[in-house]
Amino acid sequence: MCGIMGYVGGDRASGIILNGLTKQEYRGYDSAGIALCCKEGIKSAKIVGRVSGLVKLVENMPQECLEARSGIGHTRWATHGGVTVTNAHPHESADKMVTLVHNGIIENSKEIKADLKAKGIDFTTETDTEAACQLLAYLYDGDALAAMTGLVRSLTGAFALVIMFRDRPDEIWCARKGSPLVTANSGGASYCASDPTALLEFTHDLFFLDEEEMAELKPEGCRFFGFDGARKEKESIFLNWDSIMADKGHYEHFMRKEIEEQPDVLRLTIDTHTVLTSVSMERTLDLPDGLMRRVGHVQFVACGTSHYATLVAQNIMESLDDEVDVRAEVASEYRYRNVRGGDDTLAVFVSQSGETADTLAAARLARSKGTHCIAITNVRGSTIDREVKHTLLSMAGPEIGVAATKTFTGQISLLALLVMQLLKDRGSLSASDEARIIGGMRMLPAHVHSILEREGEIRSLAEKYSASKGFFFIGRRECVPLTMEAALKLKEIAYLPSEAYAAGEMKHGPIAMLDENLTVFAFVPDNDLREKTLSNVEECRARNAPIILLATEGDSKAKDHANDVLYIPRTERELFPFAGVAALQLFAYHVARTLKRDIDMPRNLAKSVTVE
Ligand code: M6R
């Protein structure tokens, strides 16, 4: 989604803003722009394309603009209006009094535009944003707070707005409803950004704007207001991330770096929430006493990769206790269905970013029904962290690549432990299962490490199959979520058609598509379902599809069924996805690399999806 960076202080604003935009490039965008408060008024530079192009434009701006001490910048991911320089942000009001950038969608922009046009105001862009810009200028009579209050009350939809007034060069104004915005003050300067990683080099004490909150940023500090204009006191949140963690280092891509960080993520999660072979999350979770004895229904709710992580959790939960009704739901559907809720239901909302609009809406719906809610997120201070009382933080550190990798691993390890904690509280987790799974989890960092050591083999395989017209990923039971995640990774970063299927479903339709041009990648751990899955593999082979197997180390017979076999270490049955996912991430990565795709910033995608 779009990225915002704002600065007001004593240093050159242009460099700080361009650097902040670069750090948020991973969010996904198609055009970029900056506005600087120069002596002769506010001046903008905008471009279709990358921030690197914007840097060159800014270099050619007048010296007085390069010296500017305040400014705002934006990377736009087009929603309303084509990808053009005119539609790129910042936007300026007709009277040049207001310049603003916006993330989100203003739903009543047509009505606002019609109203202002009737008052004689001309519009120059196709964007919904310009409606907010012109309306604010219309409302402004020298009192910024009053105009801001009037503006936010008139807008419907979702927005993070960052604004400069021509006659207030030492101020930036912000407003948030539905789209994230974080501010900070440090060393005589104030900052704002869409993403906290852009601010970490200045300070770790951050002010995350709440829903329906505004901020006034000045070099000496930030002041906060409700949408009614009333002052609000706000505590900063300390974000325990290192700016180096958000750095690519010597790696070619963030995604590759983040794949490699997974053993550490596993180790940290397991060490934090277990003692020897026991799960120990009670204090972190702090749920009401006896809750799990009362709850008969558990819902896991998320989008995309986070949803696949919850499918892994669903599988573990039902394998350990068949009496709990457990469902993994897609948040964008959950929010519009008449789902069960109330005191006998526990819903777990999972979002890496903590800002996904559908997941937030689903959580709000569940809370309104009196459902007990837990959130799992990777971002302390994110909206879901602040809105849901019981939050567990995954410990993956900042993830910059658009394709989720280490955060998936962080989520599934945390979810596995949460499932065990909940079943333990319910009295339905046997000590032997607990010790078996936690013992198995402790081996995972080494297992993933050994997969990373086989990168050369995986790369060769990826190169060999990168000409394939498409892929089917098939597996059974605990492997089904892994087929989905593998297919999604390949779609996202290699843009290849890839389908995920429960292996037994192939002959109910999809097998009709198979021929020598479609590769079948089957997951056949050495367990009770191995033979059944291999029968499905043989059915695919008989239709001339090239076959790759993901099999358990030591299963030498697997190669009798396939063109190629990728072996992964033997794990506890429930943990096959935990070990296997690194191999599949590397496979997708190297297919995409062979095809010369933009791996960290795939086309049309955004890191956090803050609109519906
Ligand atoms: O931040 P969230 O976990 O809520 O994001 C959900 C999805 O948008 C996300 O997982 C998406 O599918 C990723 N790009 C997958 O790699």
Side-chain angles (χ1 to χ4, degrees):
M1 292 286 109
C2 315
I4 288 176
M5 182 75 192
Y7 172 81
V8 52
D11 290 323
R12 282 174 161 217
S14 56
I16 291 168
I17 292 167
L18 291 168
N19 192 27
L21 292 182
T22 306
K23 289 202 168 126
Q24 298 177 84
E25 280 192 293
Y26 76 95
R27 295 170 64 87
Y29 70 103
D30 37 50
S31 51
I34 189 170
L36 296 163
C37 208
C38 317
K39 274 202 197 105
E40 303 295 317
I42 296 171
K43 301 251 161 66
S44 301
K46 307 201 270 188
I47 188 170
V48 168
R50 298 290 191 205
V51 176
S52 53
L54 183 64
V55 171
K56 293 200 182 100
L57 270 189
V58 171
E59 279 165 6
N60 292 324
M61 288 178 90
Q63 189 60 28
E64 49 137 345
C65 293
L66 300 181
E67 296 297 331
R69 296 308 193 232
S70 63
I72 56 180
H74 190 258
T75 48
R76 173 177 187 244
W77 192 79
T79 56
H80 287 51
V83 181
T84 64
V85 171
T86 309
N87 289 337
H89 301 208
H91 292 292
E92 190 181 50
S93 60
D95 63 1
K96 302 199 181 313
M97 182 53 83
V98 169
T99 301
L100 66 70
V101 296
H102 163 227
N103 289 358
I105 292 173
I106 292 168
E107 287 166 1
N108 59 341
S109 61
K110 275 197 187 136
E111 294 80 352
I112 294 173
K113 279 185 176 181
D115 195 33
L116 292 174
K117 275 182 190 164
K119 293 183 165 89
I121 295 171
D122 290 331
F123 283 77
T124 51
T125 78
E126 302 158 321
T127 64
D128 53 332
T129 303
E130 195 185 353
C133 183
Q134 304 283 17
L135 178 58
L136 182 59
Y138 178 76
L139 295 170
Y140 183 61
D141 62 2
D143 183 341
L145 181 58
M148 288 292 297
T149 309
L151 173 73
V152 294
R153 282 190 188 152
S154 311
L155 301 180
T156 59
F159 50 86
L161 291 165
V162 175
I163 295 149
M164 290 195 299
F165 294 93
R166 192 182 58 194
D167 59 349
R168 296 172 172 268
D170 298 326
E171 285 174 24
I172 289 177
W173 283 80
C174 307
R176 178 229 156 114
K177 184 182 173 196
S179 291
L181 202 56
V182 55
T183 73
N185 179 266
S186 168
S190 287
Y191 308 81
C192 63
S194 304
D195 195 308
T197 51
L199 305 187
L200 291 178
E201 67 176 287
F202 309 110
T203 177
H204 289 246
D205 288 311
L206 305 174
F207 297 95
F208 291 85
L209 289 199
D210 283 320
E211 275 301 275
E212 310 215 341
E213 204 164 71
M214 301 189 289
E216 174 209 52
L217 313 185
K218 288 184 171 183
E220 60 271 24
C222 309
R223 296 197 304 160
F224 302 94
F225 306 89
F227 273 12
D228 56 0
R231 264 300 288 280
K232 286 178 85 179
E233 288 310 316
K234 205 168 168 63
E235 297 276 310
S236 65
I237 289 179
F238 184 82
L239 188 62
N240 186 20
W241 280 356
D242 191 339
S243 57
I244 299 293
M245 287 163 113
D247 198 284
K248 199 155 57 174
H250 64 276
Y251 293 87
E252 189 181 345
H253 298 103
F254 277 107
M255 182 182 177
R256 175 64 191 74
K257 173 178 177 262
E258 288 157 2
I259 290 173
E260 198 165 310
E261 287 169 350
Q262 294 179 108
D264 291 339
V265 174
L266 283 162
R267 215 171 279 120
L268 189 60
T269 309
I270 297 161
D271 288 351
T272 307
H273 296 296
T274 63
V275 177
L276 300 174
T277 51
S278 290
V279 61
S280 156
M281 256 182 184
E282 318 78 325
R283 263 196 244 134
T284 331
L285 255 181
D286 192 26
L287 291 173
D289 273 351
L291 176 71
M292 275 314 285
R293 292 192 186 271
R294 301 202 299 275
V295 159
H297 308 274
V298 174
Q299 301 162 345
F300 291 105
V301 189
C303 298
T305 288
S306 298
H307 170 57
Y308 303 147
T310 67
L311 287 168
V312 173
Q314 178 191 32
N315 222 291
I316 297 176
M317 191 165 223
E318 73 185 16
S319 81
L320 296 174
D321 182 340
D322 60 3
E323 285 184 1
V324 186
D325 163 42
V326 51
R327 294 166 193 221
E329 307 271 3
V330 171
S332 56
E333 288 297 312
Y334 181 98
R335 64 182 290 189
Y336 292 118
R337 286 188 11 235
N338 188 21
V339 287
R340 167 184 282 278
D343 195 40
D344 64 350
T345 305
L346 172 73
V348 182
F349 298 90
V350 182
S351 172
Q352 178 280 127
S353 61
E355 302 294 352
T356 299
D358 285 322
T359 311
L360 290 172
R364 287 170 193 145
L365 173 71
R367 282 166 58 217
S368 74
K369 290 187 175 190
T371 301
H372 301 280
C373 295
I374 296 175
I376 290 186
T377 181
N378 195 42
V379 184
R380 169 123 171 78
S382 61
T383 305
I384 209 159
D385 175 28
R386 284 173 294 125
E387 289 192 5
V388 176
K389 186 169 164 211
H390 304 284
T391 302
L392 286 171
L393 291 173
S394 57
M395 282 167 280
E399 185 177 72
I400 308 297
V402 163
T405 52
K406 62 174 179 171
T407 55
F408 175 77
T409 291
Q411 289 168 345
I412 56 177
S413 43
L414 197 55
L415 280 162
L417 295 168
L418 173 65
V419 161
M420 283 190 284
Q421 183 66 60
L422 295 175
L423 294 183
K424 202 169 167 176
D425 295 352
R426 199 177 138 78
S428 63
L429 178 68
S430 73
S432 60
D433 273 337
E434 184 180 14
R436 178 178 66 79
I437 296 177
I438 293 178
M441 288 181 78
R442 290 201 184 284
M443 308 289 290
L444 288 171
H447 289 341
V448 174
H449 190 72
S450 77
I451 290 167
L452 297 174
E453 283 183 333
R454 281 192 233 147
E455 182 169 5
E457 188 192 329
I458 299 172
R459 184 176 52 228
S460 305
L461 205 61
E463 285 165 2
K464 177 172 168 188
Y465 287 94
S466 60
S468 185
K469 286 217 173 106
F471 288 80
F472 269 94
F473 290 89
I474 64 171
R476 285 173 179 260
R477 201 175 50 204
E478 66 275 5
C479 290
V480 172
L482 193 58
T483 65
M484 296 175 177
E485 178 55 7
L488 181 66
K489 286 289 94 77
L490 214 49
K491 282 182 192 125
E492 275 187 299
I493 61 167
Y495 318 147
L496 285 179
S498 44
E499 293 271 354
Y501 261 90
E505 278 291 292
M506 284 300 281
K507 56 178 154 312
H508 296 290
I511 204 166
M513 293 173 69
L514 293 187
D515 61 21
E516 61 284 358
N517 297 312
L518 279 178
T519 302
V520 173
F521 203 143
F523 306 161
V524 282
D526 190 7
N527 64 20
D528 54 320
L529 295 177
R530 177 181 178 279
E531 300 309 322
K532 297 235 175 279
T533 313
L534 283 176
S535 302
N536 303 132
V537 168
E538 286 304 324
E539 289 157 6
C540 299
R541 228 152 75 106
R543 273 79 191 175
N544 298 325
I547 308 287
I548 312 174
L549 295 188
L550 190 69
T552 310
E553 235 158 38
D555 180 1
S556 56
K557 293 212 170 118
K559 58 181 181 310
D560 300 343
H561 302 270
N563 301 69
D564 287 285
V565 183
L566 207 56
Y567 286 105
I568 63 165
R570 186 174 291 276
T571 59
E572 292 303 318
R573 173 172 87 61
E574 296 87 344
L575 303 180
F576 186 83
F578 293 66
V581 73
L584 297 161
Q585 291 162 348
L586 280 176
F587 180 77
Y589 173 80
H590 283 292
V591 170
R593 196 168 169 275
T594 308
L595 297 175
K596 301 199 181 337
R597 306 298 197 221
D598 192 350
I599 291 181
D600 282 336
M601 284 182 278
R603 68 185 184 200
N604 307 336
L605 290 183
K607 181 68 181 166
S608 80
V609 184
T610 54
V611 291
E612 216 185 319

